[in-house]
Amino acid sequence: MGDVSEVKLFGKWSGSPSPTKRVEIALKLKGIPYEFIQEDLGNKSESLLQYNPVHKKVPVLVHNGKPIAESAIILEYIDEHWKYAPKLLPEDPYERAMVRFWANFIDEKLRSRALLMSEGEEKAKLTKEYIENISVLEEGIKRDFSGKSPFLNGESPGYLDLVLGSSSASSHRAIEEIVGAKLIIPEIHPLFFAWVTAMKNHPVVKETIPLHEGLVNRVLQYKQQRALELPNTKA
Ligand SMILES: N[C@@H](CCC(=O)N[C@@H](CS)C(=O)NCC(=O)O)C(=O)O
């Protein structure tokens, strides 16, 4: 497009997958220069409150002074404004609908916070549900993205890859270590496993996604902190 753009990303720095990471990876994939503005979520800046008065959350993309909030909406905006390759969404309306359907499934079903905080029977129940949801996703990949490889968007990661990549599923090894159970089983989830491997080896993802050990420690610290804050919960 060749326009002179000022792009600012208000985000939370973290080594772990997060909505901010989706946007960072999309900007890097498209080669869009941007300024990263680190928010302290315990003490939100006036700018963040002004740019996202509804949810008061990050990420917020500010393009030439105009704010866009909600990571999935930001991804669509990036693809629509910077129309050049790599495209994040497919051209075909049905394929786009499938991408949005599975992105919604991932946002609703592959959340790991409750699983990570759980213990005992609750943990066993949530672990089982998590594995079942991964199996549903595996079938979905087989049915709706069969020609696409190594990413769900084809040769380069796209919208759905970024949504899945910034979900807990992409850091499954860290979660498995904390929960003490296998969640992604290569024999049962071969397509998902191949996808995780391709994502982990992608240079832009590698530079943006955290080290496994760092992630485990951060989650354990978070759990400990929560246990102190909520002494009556079984942590
Ligand atoms: N649906 C939002 C979720 C954004 C979100 O949860 N952001 C968190 C950081 S990862 C946040 O800003 N939390 C601050 C708060 O809840 O006050 C998106 O995808 O952009």
Side-chain angles (χ1 to χ4, degrees):
M1 189 157 192
D3 64 341
V4 180
S5 287
E6 185 195 58
V7 179
K8 292 183 183 173
L9 174 62
F10 285 73
K12 176 183 87 161
W13 187 90
S14 93
S16 34
S18 72
T20 298
K21 295 279 169 203
R22 293 178 180 178
V23 179
E24 277 189 84
I25 296 175
L27 291 168
K28 288 180 187 173
L29 283 171
K30 292 254 189 195
I32 302 162
Y34 66 98
E35 182 190 349
F36 186 82
I37 296 157
Q38 160 78 15
E39 269 299 322
D40 172 0
L41 294 177
N43 181 23
K44 294 174 186 172
S45 70
E46 278 304 312
S47 304
L48 176 64
L49 300 178
Q50 178 202 327
Y51 285 137
N52 189 0
V54 176
H55 299 300
K56 305 177 179 63
K57 291 186 180 190
V58 292
V60 178
L61 189 83
V62 183
H63 183 204
N64 291 335
K66 290 191 288 188
I68 306 133
E70 284 298 314
S71 60
I73 292 167
I74 299 172
L75 292 185
E76 297 221 17
Y77 177 82
I78 289 174
D79 212 30
E80 284 171 10
H81 186 82
W82 290 276
K83 291 183 195 295
Y84 51 76
K87 290 294 290 174
L88 302 179
L89 278 153
E91 289 299 325
D92 179 77
Y94 184 77
E95 286 183 23
R96 287 167 91 92
M98 290 305 99
V99 161
R100 292 186 177 118
F101 173 85
W102 287 108
N104 183 262
F105 176 86
I106 291 159
D107 270 350
E108 286 192 356
K109 303 282 188 190
L110 290 181
R111 290 176 176 272
S112 61
R113 186 174 294 244
L115 172 61
L116 288 170
M117 300 306 291
S118 64
E119 293 294 340
E121 271 178 36
E122 177 72 358
K123 184 161 89 175
K125 176 177 158 269
L126 293 177
T127 302
K128 186 167 168 282
E129 279 174 17
Y130 197 93
I131 296 171
E132 280 166 7
N133 284 329
I134 293 284
S135 298
V136 172
L137 179 62
E138 175 78 14
E139 283 307 305
I141 298 176
K142 197 189 291 176
R143 198 172 52 243
D144 295 328
F145 303 96
S146 63
K148 310 269 183 180
S149 146
F151 302 104
L152 303 174
N153 187 46
E155 282 174 18
S156 172
Y159 179 97
L160 188 56
D161 296 288
L162 298 186
V163 170
L164 187 53
S166 59
S167 78
S168 59
S170 72
S171 48
H172 69 99
R173 277 183 46 231
I175 300 172
E176 285 172 349
E177 194 168 307
I178 294 158
V179 173
K182 204 104 184 88
L183 300 174
I184 316 270
I185 304 151
E187 296 75 33
I188 302 177
H189 311 122
L191 298 176
F192 187 88
F193 195 74
W195 173 86
V196 171
T197 310
M199 279 298 270
K200 287 213 159 108
N201 290 327
H202 190 284
V204 172
V205 177
K206 246 188 195 167
E207 126 191 344
T208 325
I209 293 260
L211 286 172
H212 167 72
E213 291 74 19
L215 186 56
V216 172
N217 287 338
R218 267 194 301 281
V219 174
L220 289 177
Q221 268 171 14
Y222 176 76
K223 255 186 113 156
Q224 254 172 9
Q225 198 184 331
R226 285 295 305 259
L228 293 174
E229 283 167 10
L230 305 168
N232 294 330
T233 55
K234 292 180 252 160

